[in-house]
Amino acid sequence: NALLVKFKLNSFSHSGTKTVFNQEFIKSGKLDREHGKLYNNLFSKRHEGDYQDFQVFDEKTISPLIVKVEDFIHGIESLLY
């Protein structure tokens, strides 16, 4: 949401935020396409964790994402500062 606020963009739902993020920052080339794929993957996992009973994310699933998420955060920070 910080990116949306900084760039004066609006969304009223999680899926709306995802749509705006992809349109404004991925498709425009402000962020790498790999960041968009990661964001969409994490969005799906968050949705699964929130709405599916007994969803478990183990170390084997999460560990490969850590470095990618760190890079994603740096990309976001580069647009914010």
Side-chain angles (χ1 to χ4, degrees):
N1 279 338
L3 281 177
L4 272 61
V5 170
K6 177 172 179 158
F7 290 92
K8 296 179 174 56
L9 302 168
N10 293 317
S11 174
F12 300 102
S13 67
H14 288 116
S15 62
T17 298
K18 179 180 150 190
T19 299
V20 171
F21 177 81
N22 282 308
Q23 288 175 344
E24 296 294 326
F25 301 103
I26 303 303
K27 289 182 181 177
S28 71
K30 292 176 183 169
L31 288 171
D32 189 270
R33 284 195 172 278
E34 291 303 312
H35 288 142
K37 291 177 186 176
L38 177 64
Y39 179 79
N40 292 333
N41 181 21
L42 294 172
F43 186 92
S44 294
K45 288 187 183 319
R46 184 208 63 88
H47 193 270
E48 290 170 15
D50 283 353
Y51 298 107
Q52 291 183 9
D53 293 337
F54 309 110
Q55 184 66 35
V56 176
F57 298 106
D58 59 9
E59 184 176 350
K60 182 180 175 184
T61 304
I62 300 305
S63 286
L65 298 173
I66 293 172
V67 171
K68 293 177 182 181
V69 169
E70 289 171 342
D71 185 51
F72 177 75
I73 290 169
H74 292 302
I76 298 294
E77 289 175 337
S78 73
L79 295 175
L80 290 173
Y81 304 110

